Amino acid sequence: MKTVIAVEGVSKSYHLDHTKVRALQDLNMTIAEGEFTALAGPSGSGKTTLLNIIGCIDKPDSGRLVLDGVDVTERSLNSLAGMRRERLGYIFQSFNLIPILNAYENVEYPLLLTRMSGSERRRRVHDLLERVGLADKRRHKPGQLSGGERQRVAIARALVSGPSAVLADEPTANLDSVTSGEILDLMDELNRERGVVFLFSTHDPRIMAKARRVVRLLDGKISEDSGAQAAAQAELASFRQTGR
Amino acid sequence: MLKLSWIAFKNIFRNKRRTLITFSVIIFGSTALLVAGGFIRYMFDGLANMTIRGGLGHLQLVHQDQLHKEEEKPLQYGLEDAGKIAGIVSGMEGVLGTTARIDFMGLLSNGDKSVIFLGTGLEPEKERALGYENEVVSGSSLTSEGGRFQVMLATGLARSLKSNVGDTLTLMSTTSEGVLNAVDVYVVGIFSTGITEYDERALRVPLGIAKNLLATEKVSKLVVGLRQTSDTDRLHDLLAARLSSAGYPLEIRRWYEMATFYQGVVRMFGAIFRILGTIIFVLVVLSSSNTMLMAVLERVREIGTLMAFGTTRLKILAIFVIEGVFIGVLGGALGSAAGLLTIKLMNRAHLMMPTPPGNTRPFLIIIPVVPGIFVGVFLLMIATMIVAGFLPAMRASRLKIVDALNHI
């Protein structure tokens, strides 16, 4: 499987008043094409920092980040705008929709930054709004939508440019449990349909249960990786079968 | 970019109260500038008109030595062929007419008292045709006809000699040969120029009387009236060429070159208007940049989101600057409408200005609608909003994405 995200020896520290906080410590992780992965861990474990670095909206102090085979570590954040525009999508805890734009316009926004034709733009936005079940509410502004509907718009917006990976920081934290389940199911379906990586942070065990891989962070390090365990088990099984 | 402009346009209506405040500031600033600019233009035009019709004319033709050499005798450098020159000038397109004048001075006596006067010999009918006639306070205007020698006295001069219409006075002056001469004149009317100091000394007589008194056929100048004041420069050049080729190398002076008072007023009020414009510009920039900054601060997380989706810093900057341009355009348009309405209302109210220093009458305020000033103020308001929006826009474009997304 093609590696979409490769994090190699990444460290990141913050200064909180006079205290140095080590958010990430020599962290290594790879995400392959089509993964549906949860980043789990308590508050301050480094989930958001890791998502920000992978999302090219923050820079590591050391280490490398490779996206779709492109080493983006040394690039400035401004020069990474193109990478964010074309290869990444974001879903935020508070939805972060533009209040003056309606659902259609919010989904359309990332495409306005590209050279895509108007007809193709309309087709994509229409298809995605249809897919997330909001075609009939495309003229509604965020204030006229429920929390779940807003997050559906945000999901459509994250996918509209056809990214390699969608990064979601606590996407269900502001939603009730039923809606959270629905949103996770939608993300899961879209991941299977489109093969897009979904990497999301959460500390809700019910949400984690739906992820196909869970990476647990603690104090800026990976404390547990179900994907690594599965890979080790697969390797062990392969070894037993082949005797090598 | 068109779609981003549309987003910028929509942002204007996001916080209606704040937008209303910004619009109010722009409307107030625009109205103040339009009214002040219109009023100043009215004063300039009024003063120009008063200057021209007060006798200066649009152009004056004098002997080429008159301005550069001192005359040893009256009219030494006068015009000899005034009639022929007037014929050439009057035939030109755009010329309303010409009138010859003799400027002279001397003593005016009622038998008991003599006072110095500044006299003008003129062609009454031609002056009237050109509209160069001062207000007749009592009596009637001069005419070229009539057996008795006529004179019109300015109010101050008449008061000084206790003269009224119908009185006979004696004019004394030096002829062009340097000999003292005198004529008896009959007061046909009292006039006012509106300028107190001038009214103390001025008198007017028909050109023939002045020629008789000065014993000359020369005139001091030929005054040219034009159909359009805006034609002054064009006809000046045309006339210079035409007269030169006809063998009359005369000195031709434009009205504004002679009107030193007018020039002083234009300079002073021009400076006042520029200061007023600067003050309003600064006020609008300060108050608007404050509201624009608030617009940035309340949209920090949104800016972070836009940047996360790949919006470059330049485009973030552009969105806010374009927003400023839209506010400037809309505010400027509303300001123009408000300015127009205010001007119409003020004109309808028939407001009077107090009597200006040196003048004898108050005057009615009429504020013209000058398209050039409207365009200038409109563009100034757009420029103001670009300046007001630029610093907040710079701040928005320099936000760190992570900090912006975490902004509460």
Side-chain angles (χ1 to χ4, degrees):
Chain A
M1 289 270 251
K2 182 189 160 195
T3 299
V4 175
I5 301 166
V7 178
E8 297 172 13
V10 162
S11 297
K12 179 77 179 176
S13 303
Y14 292 111
H15 285 277
L16 194 63
D17 296 327
H18 298 292
T19 314
K20 189 177 182 182
V21 179
R22 301 179 74 181
L24 295 176
Q25 298 181 55
D26 195 23
L27 193 139
N28 293 287
M29 185 176 81
T30 55
I31 306 275
E33 199 173 29
E35 277 198 31
F36 192 72
T37 303
L39 286 175
S43 293
S45 60
K47 303 186 296 290
T48 301
T49 305
L50 181 58
L51 276 178
N52 287 344
I53 288 173
I54 293 171
C56 298
I57 57 177
D58 203 357
K59 302 278 288 179
D61 296 337
S62 60
R64 285 176 75 220
L65 171 67
V66 180
L67 292 177
D68 268 348
V70 179
D71 187 344
V72 297
T73 320
E74 295 304 319
R75 294 196 189 179
S76 72
L77 288 178
N78 203 32
S79 73
L80 289 173
M83 186 66 85
R84 293 197 296 272
R85 203 160 46 228
E86 290 156 16
R87 303 192 193 202
L88 297 167
Y90 303 84
I91 300 169
F92 302 97
Q93 180 180 335
S94 305
F95 324 124
N96 288 23
L97 298 178
I98 312 300
I100 53 159
L101 303 181
N102 60 33
Y104 181 94
E105 291 165 334
N106 264 289
V107 176
E108 187 189 28
Y109 181 80
L111 300 182
L112 297 179
L113 305 169
T114 67
R115 294 179 185 276
M116 190 176 287
S117 70
S119 56
E120 173 64 8
R121 220 166 53 213
R122 281 190 290 277
R123 189 190 65 73
R124 282 199 190 195
V125 177
H126 182 266
D127 286 355
L128 269 165
L129 280 173
E130 189 85 42
R131 180 63 189 84
V132 299
L134 287 174
D136 57 335
K137 293 191 174 177
R138 63 185 184 280
R139 299 289 168 221
H140 286 46
K141 295 224 171 126
Q144 299 166 304
L145 299 171
S146 68
E149 288 170 334
R150 288 183 207 185
Q151 202 59 302
R152 283 168 186 270
V153 174
I155 290 169
R157 179 178 64 178
L159 285 166
V160 75
S161 56
S164 309
V166 171
L167 310 172
D169 191 8
E170 307 269 7
T172 57
N174 282 1
L175 302 172
D176 60 65
S177 58
V178 176
T179 313
S180 296
E182 288 170 0
I183 290 294
L184 251 293
D185 288 343
L186 176 64
M187 285 165 57
D188 186 26
E189 287 165 18
L190 288 165
N191 163 259
R192 288 177 198 277
E193 283 169 19
R194 294 166 186 255
V196 182
V197 166
F198 272 77
L199 178 63
F200 53 94
S201 65
T202 184
H203 28 348
D204 185 338
R206 288 170 301 179
I207 303 300
M208 275 180 248
K210 296 205 175 201
R212 292 196 288 281
R213 177 184 172 191
V214 177
V215 178
R216 290 183 189 279
L217 295 180
L218 187 66
D219 297 333
K221 295 176 182 169
I222 294 176
S223 61
E224 189 185 336
D225 184 348
S226 67
Q229 287 169 354
Q233 281 168 359
E235 202 172 324
L236 186 61
S238 166
F239 176 77
R240 280 174 182 158
Q241 276 183 349
T242 59
R244 283 185 289 160
Chain B
M1 206 61 198
L2 200 68
K3 282 276 184 177
L4 290 182
S5 300
W6 176 237
I7 291 171
F9 182 76
K10 282 189 161 190
N11 275 328
I12 296 173
F13 305 101
R14 179 191 290 246
N15 188 328
K16 291 188 177 67
R17 186 180 295 177
R18 197 177 48 230
T19 303
L20 197 66
I21 291 170
T22 311
F23 277 163
S24 303
V25 172
I26 296 173
I27 289 168
F28 180 78
S30 298
T31 305
L33 283 175
L34 290 171
V35 170
F39 180 63
I40 289 172
R41 173 58 70 89
Y42 166 67
M43 285 204 304
F44 287 176
D45 290 349
L47 191 59
N49 201 34
M50 197 173 85
T51 306
I52 292 163
R53 288 182 180 276
L56 210 56
H58 288 98
L59 298 167
Q60 286 193 2
L61 280 54
V62 295
H63 189 282
Q64 58 186 351
D65 290 335
Q66 195 183 84
L67 303 176
H68 312 294
K69 294 181 179 173
E70 197 63 41
E71 286 184 330
E72 290 170 8
K73 292 173 186 171
L75 289 174
Q76 182 182 352
Y77 301 122
L79 296 177
E80 288 180 1
D81 296 324
K84 286 182 186 170
I85 296 167
I88 295 170
V89 176
S90 299
M92 292 176 69
E93 196 190 334
V95 173
L96 185 62
T98 62
T99 178
R101 288 205 196 127
I102 293 176
D103 297 322
F104 62 108
M105 56 188 291
L107 286 174
L108 179 65
S109 172
N110 61 4
D112 299 324
K113 183 181 178 184
S114 299
V115 294
I116 295 170
F117 69 83
L118 295 169
T120 307
L122 44 79
E123 299 175 285
E125 287 74 23
K126 289 186 177 176
E127 295 273 341
R128 249 194 303 284
L130 290 170
Y132 301 163
E133 211 175 24
N134 294 120
E135 183 193 0
V136 179
V137 177
S138 63
S140 58
S141 300
L142 298 172
T143 58
S144 300
E145 308 296 325
R148 299 176 71 181
F149 285 180
Q150 302 172 4
V151 69
M152 278 188 87
L153 304 180
T155 48
L157 189 61
R159 200 181 312 115
S160 172
L161 290 172
K162 294 188 175 63
S163 288
N164 285 312
V165 175
D167 290 353
T168 300
L169 304 170
T170 303
L171 277 178
M172 287 176 282
S173 188
T174 315
T175 67
S176 57
E177 297 301 321
V179 180
L180 193 64
N181 194 11
V183 293
D184 285 341
V185 288
Y186 162 73
V187 180
V188 294
I190 312 289
F191 71 95
S192 171
T193 61
I195 299 168
T196 313
E197 290 77 8
Y198 193 58
D199 283 354
E200 294 292 328
R201 291 283 174 263
L203 65 78
R204 283 168 187 178
V205 296
L207 192 67
I209 298 174
K211 284 182 174 175
N212 194 311
L213 182 65
L214 273 65
T216 183
E217 282 307 311
K218 291 181 182 175
V219 299
S220 305
K221 64 184 74 155
L222 201 60
V223 179
V224 182
L226 306 179
R227 295 186 189 284
Q228 300 284 340
T229 302
S230 54
D231 261 352
T232 303
D233 289 330
R234 186 178 69 83
L235 276 161
H236 169 274
D237 298 344
L238 214 58
L239 209 55
R242 184 76 58 88
L243 290 172
S244 180
S245 64
Y248 296 109
L250 305 179
E251 185 89 24
I252 305 174
R253 294 186 294 172
R254 302 170 185 90
W255 67 270
Y256 55 82
E257 292 168 340
M258 299 176 279
T260 49
F261 179 70
Y262 171 83
Q263 288 176 0
V265 169
V266 167
R267 272 198 299 274
M268 186 180 77
F269 278 96
I272 289 173
F273 187 67
R274 281 192 291 278
I275 291 168
L276 183 70
T278 308
I279 291 170
I280 288 175
F281 177 80
V282 170
L283 283 177
V284 176
V285 165
L286 288 178
S287 54
S288 303
S289 58
N290 193 34
T291 53
M292 291 294 280
L293 187 62
M294 283 167 68
V296 169
L297 291 178
E298 78 176 21
R299 271 144 63 183
V300 166
R301 188 186 285 200
E302 193 177 308
I303 294 163
T305 307
L306 297 182
M307 289 204 278
F309 277 99
T311 313
T312 58
R313 295 183 186 281
L314 195 66
K315 279 191 173 155
I316 295 287
L317 182 81
I319 287 175
F320 280 91
V321 171
I322 292 170
E323 197 174 320
V325 171
F326 279 132
I327 294 175
V329 169
L330 282 176
L334 290 171
S336 297
L340 187 66
L341 186 69
T342 308
I343 288 171
K344 296 278 181 200
L345 289 175
M346 286 180 76
N347 287 343
R348 195 168 285 185
H350 298 296
L351 303 172
M352 298 296 289
M353 278 295 280
T355 307
N359 282 41
T360 54
R361 298 182 295 275
F363 67 94
L364 180 68
I365 300 174
I366 301 169
I367 301 169
V369 175
V370 185
I373 296 177
F374 272 72
V375 171
V377 170
F378 181 70
L379 294 177
L380 178 72
M381 287 304 143
I382 295 172
T384 304
M385 287 311 300
I386 291 174
V387 173
F390 195 75
L391 284 179
M394 283 291 285
R395 182 175 173 148
S397 70
R398 286 180 178 175
L399 285 169
K400 281 186 177 174
I401 305 174
V402 172
D403 294 342
L405 287 171
N406 290 330
H407 186 82
I408 299 167

